[in-house]
C-alpha cells in the first residue's frame, strides 16, 4: 500500500513539473494523452529535446505534440511498453514505411517537399527519418556541412569526385548539395532544383547565359557535354583536356583533321600538343558578341 501511494505521489509531482516545463498544453491523463506520464519529464531527457524545436509546439505542445506525429495511440497509452504507438518510427515497433512517411507528408506536402511522391529517394523506399532527426533542438541535416557529409554516405562516387583537383567548393563549405539538388524531388533529372542542367548552372554562372551573337551549340544544349559538375582531373571541371576535348567534335574543320595526340610529337602537329590548347585562340568558347567573333576568338 505504501509503495502504491508513493507511485501516485511521484506521478502527481511529475504532472506538476510537466505543467511548469511545457505549459498548459501538456495535458494530464484525465483530459488528454498521457505520454508525459511515462516519458520522463527531466529537461535533459533526449526525447524532450523536441520541445526546443517547432515540432514540440504542434497542437499546442506538450503531450498533444506527441500524438500529432505518433497518432492518438490509446492502446499504447493504456499498456505502455506492451503495445506500440499508432505510428512508431523505430527502432522498436517501426511502422510500415508508408505510415511513417505519411505522418510527415501530412504537414510537409508543399514547397520543397511538393514532388516527394515519385522522387528518386521515395522510389528507393527511403523514410523521412533516414535523413531527418526530430527529437533534437536542431535537425543536423539542415546544416549544410553536415548534410554534405550525410549525402556522401550513400553517394560515394560523388564524394570522391569532390576531392578531385578541379571541383566545386562543396567540401570547403562554400556550396552545399542542396544548392543544386532538391533531395525531396524535382521536375528535372538528378533531382536538380531547375528543370534543366543548364538552368541550374546558369543560376550562378550568369555570364555564360547569353544571348550571344555567335553561339557555341554545345553550350546552349547541355553544360555537362564539356563539364563534370562535381569534380574532374582536368582544369575547369572539363571532361577531357584541350585540345582532346574540342577534337571530339572539331576533328575535320578548319584545322588538320588528325587529332593532336602523343603520336604526333615531333611532327607538324607537335606544337599543338606541347603546352598548347585550342582555348589559347578560341577564348570565348561559351559565345561571343564581337562582330569578328564568328570563330569564338574575340
Amino acid at each position: 500500500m505504501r509503495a502504491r501511494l508513493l507511485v501516485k505521489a511521484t506521478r502527481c509531482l511529475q504532472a506538476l513539473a510537466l505543467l511548469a516545463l511545457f505549459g498548459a498544453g501538456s495535458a494530464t491523463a484525465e483530459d488528454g494523452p498521457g505520454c508525459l506520464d511515462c516519458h520522463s519529464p527531466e529537461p535533459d531527457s533526449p526525447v524532450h529535446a523536441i520541445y526546443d524545436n517547432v515540432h514540440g509546439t504542434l497542437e499546442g505542445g506538450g503531450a498533444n505534440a506527441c500524438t500529432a506525429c505518433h497518432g492518438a495511440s490509446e492502446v499504447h497509452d493504456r499498456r505502455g511498453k506492451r503495445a506500440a504507438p499508432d505510428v512508431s518510427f523505430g527502432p522498436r515497433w517501426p511502422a510500415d514505411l508508408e505510415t511513417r512517411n505519411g505522418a510527415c507528408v501530412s504537414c510537409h506536402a508543399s514547397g520543397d517537399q511538393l514532388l516527394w511522391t515519385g522522387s528518386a529517394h521515395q522510389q528507393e523506399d527511403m523514410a523521412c527519418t533516414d535523413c531527418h532527426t526530430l527529437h533534437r533542438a536542431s535537425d543536423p541535416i539542415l546544416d549544410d556541412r553536415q548534410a554534405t557529409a550525410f549525402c556522401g554516405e550513400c553517394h560515394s562516387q560523388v564524394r570522391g569526385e569532390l576531392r578531385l583537383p578541379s571541383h566545386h567548393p562543396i567540401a570547403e563549405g562554400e556550396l552545399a548539395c542542396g544548392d543544386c539538388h532538391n533531395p525531396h524531388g524535382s521536375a528535372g533529372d538528378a533531382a536538380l532544383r531547375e528543370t534543366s542542367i543548364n538552368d541550374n548552372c546558369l543560376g550562378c554562372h550568369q555570364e555564360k547565359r547569353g544571348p550571344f551573337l555567335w553561339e557555341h551549340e554545345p553550350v546552349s544544349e547541355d553544360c555537362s557535354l564539356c563539364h563534370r559538375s562535381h569534380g574532374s582531373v582536368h582544369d575547369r571541371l572539363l571532361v577531357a583536356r584541350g585540345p582532346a576535348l574540342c577534337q571530339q567534335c572539331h576533328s575535320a574543320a578548319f584545322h588538320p583533321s588528325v587529332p593532336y595526340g602523343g603520336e604526333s610529337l615531333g611532327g607538324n602537329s607537335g606544337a599543338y600538343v606541347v603546352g598548347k590548347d585550342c582555348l589559347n585562340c578560341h577564348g570565348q568558347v561559351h559565345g561571343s558578341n564581337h562582330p569578328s567573333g564568328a570563330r569564338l576568338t574575340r
Side-chain angles (χ1 to χ4, degrees):
M1 178 66 70
R2 181 176 296 176
R4 290 182 180 178
L5 290 174
L6 182 60
V7 169
K8 289 184 178 180
T10 302
R11 287 184 175 178
C12 288
L13 290 174
Q14 287 178 340
L16 290 173
L18 290 172
L19 286 173
L21 282 171
F22 307 118
S26 57
T28 63
E30 286 75 17
D31 58 10
C35 309
L36 301 177
D37 293 342
C38 297
H39 293 280
S40 174
E42 284 78 10
D44 59 348
S45 177
V47 72
H48 287 304
I50 195 170
Y51 292 105
D52 293 327
N53 67 52
V54 67
H55 291 95
T57 66
L58 295 176
E59 302 295 337
N64 291 322
C66 303
T67 59
C69 295
H70 294 281
S73 304
E74 294 178 358
V75 177
H76 176 70
D77 198 2
R78 293 195 305 268
R79 304 188 64 189
K81 295 181 178 180
R82 291 174 293 174
D86 292 349
V87 183
S88 175
F89 296 91
R92 187 181 184 187
W93 301 315
D96 63 87
L97 179 65
E98 186 176 353
T99 299
R100 282 178 282 154
N101 283 353
C104 302
V105 174
S106 62
C107 292
H108 301 281
S110 60
D112 279 352
Q113 295 81 32
L114 179 64
L115 298 174
W116 168 252
T117 302
S119 67
H121 285 141
Q122 191 263 346
Q123 292 184 56
E124 289 293 332
D125 292 332
M126 290 187 65
C128 302
T129 50
D130 288 340
C131 297
H132 294 279
T133 305
L134 299 188
H135 284 271
R136 296 183 62 170
S138 60
D139 188 354
I141 202 71
L142 299 182
D143 178 83
D144 286 346
R145 280 188 175 273
Q146 294 189 61
T148 297
F150 197 87
C151 296
E153 291 182 7
C154 293
H155 301 281
S156 55
Q157 179 177 341
V158 173
R159 182 181 62 200
E161 291 174 349
L162 295 178
R163 299 295 181 180
L164 293 176
S166 178
H167 59 265
H168 272 116
I170 297 174
E172 292 79 4
E174 296 182 29
L175 284 176
C177 302
D179 291 333
C180 297
H181 300 277
N182 180 1
H184 300 102
S186 76
D189 293 333
L192 293 175
R193 290 198 169 273
E194 303 295 338
T195 54
S196 74
I197 189 170
N198 277 23
D199 287 339
N200 227 56
C201 299
L202 294 172
C204 292
H205 303 282
Q206 296 181 14
E207 74 281 5
K208 306 297 191 296
R209 181 180 293 276
F212 295 110
L213 177 62
W214 309 105
E215 290 189 338
H216 193 194
E217 288 80 0
V219 175
S220 56
E221 181 179 350
D222 189 341
C223 300
S224 65
L225 292 174
C226 296
H227 299 279
R228 295 191 184 279
S229 55
H230 296 109
S232 171
V233 296
H234 304 292
D235 192 25
R236 290 166 287 198
L237 299 172
L238 293 174
V239 300
R241 68 175 181 85
L245 173 60
C246 303
Q247 290 186 318
Q248 292 178 12
C249 297
H250 302 283
S251 60
F254 309 113
H255 287 299
S257 59
V258 178
Y260 304 135
E263 69 281 356
S264 60
L265 277 170
N268 293 332
S269 300
Y272 293 97
V273 179
V274 182
K276 299 294 182 179
D277 194 337
C278 303
L279 294 178
N280 289 343
C281 296
H282 303 280
Q284 303 302 314
V285 68
H286 292 97
S288 173
N289 280 318
H290 195 283
S292 299
R295 305 300 178 207
L296 305 179
T297 56
R298 303 184 181 196

